[in-house]
Amino acid sequence: MHGAETDGQVVAAACTIAIDDLPDGLVVADRYGRVLAVNRAAARLTGVRMERAVGRHMSDVFPFRDHDGRDWWKALDPEGGLRSRVRVPERPLHLPGGQELYVAARLVREPERGGEVERVAITLRDGGARARLERSRADLVSTVAHELRSPLTSVKGFTATLLSKWSRFTEEQKLVMLETVNNDADRVTRLITELLDVSRIESGRLEVRRQVVDLPARARRIVAGRVAAGEPEDRFRLVVHDDLPETWLDQDKVDQILSNLVENALRHGRGTVTMEIESVGWGVAVSVRDEGEGIEPELAPRVFRQFWRGGNSRRRGGTGLGLFIVKGLVEAHGGTITVQRAPEGGAEFRFTVPTGTPDFATSA
């Protein structure tokens, strides 16, 4: 008997540890509403400790109310309703202090099919975190709608004009309008690509296809592209230190990182844009510096957030997603990225990626 009691104590202790390890709040009550267990996450979310809750009625210690002020536990009615009912959908509820939590429940029946309710397992999630996520999604929709409206209006307007009045325009006028349509279509394509990148970064589905990449060669290619697009060649300066180790990276994503950082420097900075590539202890570091206004130290943590534009950048264009994507791409390689004030007074973005074979680079 003593052995059985000991085993029971061990099992109970294991169960306690298990529910405390859950990331969401958990409250367990019997069918009459008496609280049986409260995990640490639930205590943190509600401010009600386990010792104070266990043995008391749900409505006394967790008086959840819906938006109309109705008692959630009373409406749940575990002893009533169909015997096939086992799940209670998640919904926003409020505690008396106004705190919002998302609450769901499962009715545990014995036997499982059609039996009496023995316990009710209630999960709690932070309503504030959900609200922030929903605001972020709303911001994303608003930004996308705003960024798409202008180019699509232009494409539609010029296309409709050319179709209805083709013969009235000179060849030069037609060429100007078609070039505008082409540029605006490219703008829409870039935005869609950025949104797909954001989705993959946030969901952890970003794939890195590694190969040996010549970072100085990729940097020269990015500069050549900007010069071909009309930027003065003397605006760029590339500094490459000797004895760079071999790097196994995703070439397309490296091009995207460098392109976004250079574009950011051109949009927000002034004077020369400098790219410096050097070996560091565990990898290769690439710095992109401009000679603009720079970024105040207190703003540095915000730079890599979605939709951060800073200063007067709204009038300079951009979606505010580029640096967020850059950070995600660098970290997908096992690297890090920082921003600080450049020696010339502008901003310096510096990212470091690991060197070595693909297996070593992946685990770095």
Side-chain angles (χ1 to χ4, degrees):
M1 185 70 178
H2 178 72
E5 289 177 352
T6 302
D7 290 343
Q9 290 170 356
V10 171
V11 171
C15 291
T16 302
I17 293 171
I19 67 171
D20 278 341
D21 288 342
L22 292 173
D24 297 326
L26 176 67
V27 176
V28 181
D30 64 18
R31 62 180 169 180
Y32 305 111
R34 185 179 59 179
V35 176
L36 303 176
V38 179
N39 76 346
R40 289 176 185 165
R44 184 177 64 253
L45 288 170
T46 62
V48 179
R49 297 193 306 274
M50 181 180 68
E51 314 86 72
R52 185 176 142 229
V54 171
R56 299 180 62 188
H57 195 274
M58 277 287 299
S59 295
D60 293 332
V61 286
F62 301 110
F64 296 122
R65 297 287 189 274
D66 63 18
H67 289 301
D68 296 322
R70 290 176 296 215
D71 185 313
W72 177 78
W73 179 264
K74 185 175 181 180
L76 180 66
D77 188 18
E79 296 184 89
L82 298 175
R83 286 182 174 265
S84 59
R85 183 174 62 130
V86 292
R87 295 183 182 276
V88 180
E90 186 178 68
R91 61 184 301 186
L93 299 174
H94 294 274
L95 289 171
Q99 180 185 6
E100 184 180 64
L101 296 173
Y102 282 81
V103 181
R106 176 178 176 81
L107 307 180
V108 181
R109 296 180 179 273
E110 295 292 344
E112 186 175 349
R113 294 189 174 215
E116 295 284 347
V117 173
E118 293 294 324
R119 298 180 304 282
V120 182
I122 303 156
T123 58
L124 313 177
R125 300 175 189 265
D126 182 9
R130 180 73 62 88
R132 288 191 294 274
L133 177 60
E134 290 176 353
R135 283 197 299 271
S136 176
R137 289 174 176 170
D139 287 343
L140 180 61
V141 171
S142 175
T143 298
V144 171
H146 175 77
E147 295 296 330
L148 286 176
R149 183 183 296 116
S150 177
L152 289 179
T153 299
S154 171
V155 169
K156 174 62 177 175
F158 279 121
T159 303
T161 301
L162 287 170
L163 287 172
S164 63
K165 301 177 182 179
W166 180 267
S167 59
R168 300 185 187 182
F169 297 106
T170 66
E171 292 302 312
E172 185 177 353
Q173 288 173 325
K174 293 174 185 176
L175 180 61
V176 170
M177 285 190 278
L178 287 173
E179 285 177 343
T180 303
V181 169
N182 184 60
N183 291 334
D184 284 334
D186 287 343
R187 182 177 164 190
V188 172
T189 301
R190 284 195 301 271
L191 176 60
I192 292 172
T193 301
E194 286 185 342
L195 293 173
L196 289 174
D197 286 336
V198 168
S199 174
R200 293 187 185 105
I201 289 169
E202 290 189 326
S203 63
R205 292 185 291 106
L206 195 66
E207 295 183 7
V208 176
R209 297 180 175 87
R210 295 182 185 271
Q211 60 181 314
V212 177
V213 172
D214 185 339
L215 280 169
R218 306 320 298 173
R220 293 187 190 98
R221 181 179 179 276
I222 297 300
V223 171
R226 300 303 306 200
V227 172
E231 292 290 344
E233 187 172 0
D234 61 3
R235 190 173 181 189
F236 299 96
R237 177 171 172 259
L238 178 60
V239 180
V240 180
H241 294 261
D242 294 332
D243 300 326
L244 291 178
E246 186 177 81
T247 53
W248 286 75
L249 308 168
D250 187 313
Q251 182 168 287
D252 291 338
K253 290 179 174 58
V254 166
D255 286 351
Q256 191 174 359
I257 292 168
L258 293 172
S259 180
N260 279 7
L261 290 177
V262 169
E263 182 178 351
N264 182 75
L266 291 171
R267 179 182 296 130
H268 303 300
R270 295 188 301 270
T272 302
V273 174
T274 300
M275 281 195 285
E276 183 175 4
I277 305 174
E278 61 184 321
S279 175
V280 294
W282 57 277
V284 174
V286 181
S287 300
V288 179
R289 301 189 290 268
D290 61 59
E291 298 175 353
E293 300 173 359
I295 297 171
E296 297 299 327
E298 62 270 17
L299 297 179
R302 307 181 195 174
V303 168
F304 298 105
R305 295 178 185 173
Q306 292 182 36
F307 313 119
W308 188 88
R309 301 191 185 190
N312 296 320
S313 56
R314 284 192 176 274
R315 62 178 176 82
R316 298 169 182 162
T319 61
L321 296 173
L323 294 176
F324 173 83
I325 292 170
V326 164
K327 183 174 186 288
L329 296 180
V330 169
E331 291 178 347
H333 284 86
T336 60
I337 185 167
T338 59
V339 60
Q340 60 187 11
R341 198 165 190 82
E344 298 82 5
E348 176 180 350
F349 288 86
R350 179 182 176 89
F351 70 89
T352 305
V353 287
T355 57
T357 63
D359 288 342
F360 177 83
T362 300
S363 62

